[in-house]
């Protein structure tokens, strides 16, 4: 008698972009309600999810390895042990992919929220989980999270989970941190600032030969809802209007130029195309492909 499987296979998926290989690494997922959405009727949002056979707000948490020019970067680090037990699996999935974190020389952050930066450091020991990596992010990100006045204006949950936790996570990398405004930040990777969700929120355009991939960070959190209603935002956007404007710009760009996209909260493995539908948009998940084709 055979034993039934009790665990999913590792969350690892490779996609080739020209000469660059991008590997999606799942951190898991986070379940929540729709009360955190803004600028949309909650009942309408719930109906959109029901129509998409998604009765709840289940948010994938993804990170992406970039293998380029003999170097390896990771975009975002997952949630470590800060959030729910359904997430925090980046290190396990890196091991399944045969990747030693010591071989990663660059960590590119889209922004400093706990599902993106909490996997930098093992807490409370302070051990670096990417001990040989340079930490790279937009120049507007660190000043915001280290601004005591901004922290004083935040609610208690945000103070603890965003400001204080963020400071803890990046502190061990203080002497190996590089900030940018825009431009190429890693071989074949160009920063595309998309402020609003946070002041330094950044997407990354991967380009090689004729191929492009836009890793758009937290442009969306609830894909089905925010592609149908791009004005819909989240309670944890630092600037709702700016986040919506950045989302519109990103949607217009990738749909007009037919650029392949990936996102930290698109459903794993998170590669898709975006098509315009009047004033709204529709995501079309990419069919499975082989990395070396």
């Amino acid at each position: 008698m055979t034993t039934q499987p009790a665990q999913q296979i590792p969350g690892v998926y490779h996609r080739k972009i020209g000469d660059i290989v991008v590997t999606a690494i799942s951190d898991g997922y986070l379940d929540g309600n729709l009360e955190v959405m803004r600028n949309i009727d909650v009942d309408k949002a719930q109906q959109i999810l029901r129509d998409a056979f998604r009765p709840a707000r289940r948010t994938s948490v993804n990170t992406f390895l970039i293998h380029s020019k003999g170097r390896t970067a990771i975009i975002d680090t997952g949630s470590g042990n800060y959030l729910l037990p359904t997430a925090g699996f980046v290190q396990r999935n890196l091991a399944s992919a045969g990747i030693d974190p010591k071989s990663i020389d660059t960590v590119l952050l889209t922004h400093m929220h706990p599902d993106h930066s909490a996997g930098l450091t093992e807490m409370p020991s302070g051990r670096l989980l990417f001990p040989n990596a340079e930490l790279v992010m937009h120049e507007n990100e660190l000043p915001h999270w280290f601004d005591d006045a901004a922290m004083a204006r935040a609610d208690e949950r945000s103070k603890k989970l965003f400001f204080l936790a963020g400071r803890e996570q990046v502190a061990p990398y203080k002497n190996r941190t590089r900030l940018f405004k825009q431009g190429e930040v890693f071989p074949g990777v160009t920063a595309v600032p998309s402020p609003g969700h946070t002041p330094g929120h950044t997407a990354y355009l991967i380009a090689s030969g004729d191929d492009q991939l836009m890793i758009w960070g937290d442009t969306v959190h609830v894909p089905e809802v925010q592609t149908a209603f791009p004005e819909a935002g989240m309670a944890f956007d630092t600037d709702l209007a700016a986040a919506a404007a950045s989302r519109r710009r990103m949607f217009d760009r990738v749909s007009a130029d037919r650029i392949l996209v990936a996102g930290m909260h698109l459903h794993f493995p998170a590669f898709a195309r975006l098509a315009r539908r009047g004033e709204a948009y529709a995501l079309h998940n990419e069919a499975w492909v082989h990395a070396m084709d």
Side-chain angles (χ1 to χ4, degrees):
M1 183 176 178
T2 59
T3 302
Q4 289 185 342
Q7 184 173 300
Q8 286 286 14
I9 62 174
V12 176
Y13 182 79
H14 305 290
R15 176 65 162 83
K16 198 167 185 184
I17 305 297
D19 293 328
I20 297 173
V21 174
V22 177
T23 302
I25 299 288
S26 174
D27 188 56
Y29 60 86
L30 302 169
D31 284 339
N33 60 48
L34 291 172
E35 302 300 324
V36 295
M37 296 204 76
R38 298 292 182 267
N39 296 336
I40 188 169
D41 178 76
V42 172
D43 290 338
K44 182 179 291 185
Q46 188 65 67
Q47 187 61 54
I48 291 171
L49 291 184
R50 281 196 296 268
D51 291 345
F53 300 96
R54 295 186 181 276
R57 180 175 69 85
R58 171 160 291 183
T59 303
S60 287
V61 180
N62 308 312
T63 70
F64 298 90
L65 290 170
I66 312 297
H67 311 268
S68 178
K69 304 291 185 182
R71 297 176 56 188
T72 305
I74 190 168
I75 302 180
D76 287 350
T77 65
S79 56
N81 60 0
Y82 274 76
L83 300 175
L84 299 178
T86 53
F89 301 123
V90 161
Q91 293 292 325
R92 187 181 77 181
N93 284 327
L94 285 174
S96 297
I99 301 294
D100 184 346
K102 294 178 182 177
S103 70
I104 295 173
D105 62 76
T106 306
V107 174
L108 300 169
L109 286 186
T110 60
H111 62 296
M112 282 173 55
H113 273 168
D115 49 330
H116 302 263
S117 60
L120 279 167
T121 305
E122 182 182 71
M123 301 305 295
S125 72
R127 180 174 68 91
L128 277 67
L129 294 176
F130 299 95
N132 297 318
E134 178 184 39
L135 177 61
V136 183
M137 72 185 89
H138 192 275
E139 66 179 8
N140 290 343
E141 196 66 7
L142 277 178
H144 175 72
W145 300 113
F146 279 80
D147 183 342
D148 290 338
M151 183 169 70
R153 293 191 296 269
D155 60 41
E156 289 305 312
R157 181 178 183 273
S158 295
K159 287 177 184 177
K160 180 179 179 180
L161 199 58
F162 294 158
F163 286 90
L164 294 176
R167 295 178 188 193
E168 288 181 338
Q169 292 149 16
V170 302
Y173 294 82
K174 182 177 180 179
N175 296 326
R176 55 175 74 187
T177 296
R178 170 166 56 97
L179 305 180
F180 60 76
K181 289 185 179 180
Q182 56 186 12
E184 187 174 67
V185 293
F186 187 78
V189 181
T190 300
V192 182
S194 301
H197 180 52
T198 68
H201 179 255
T202 301
Y204 294 98
L205 181 68
I206 290 86
S208 177
D210 295 330
D211 292 343
Q212 291 186 322
L213 167 69
M214 182 72 78
I215 297 180
W216 68 15
D218 278 15
T219 293
V220 300
H221 291 78
V222 189
E224 296 84 0
V225 176
Q226 290 175 286
T227 51
F229 293 92
E231 67 276 15
M234 309 300 291
F236 30 85
D237 290 336
T238 58
D239 186 328
L240 270 170
S246 286
R247 184 161 41 253
R248 276 284 188 187
R249 285 194 299 271
M250 182 63 70
F251 283 3
D252 288 345
R253 177 176 178 175
V254 300
S255 61
D257 295 342
R258 302 177 67 85
I259 298 174
L260 181 69
V261 301
M264 279 52 195
H265 301 308
L266 297 184
H267 305 303
F268 188 82
F271 294 94
R273 305 276 181 178
L274 190 74
R276 187 154 194 162
R277 297 287 183 266
E279 293 301 310
Y281 300 81
L283 269 175
H284 299 278
N285 294 327
E286 184 180 59
W288 184 281
V289 295
H290 293 284
M292 298 305 154
D293 284 353

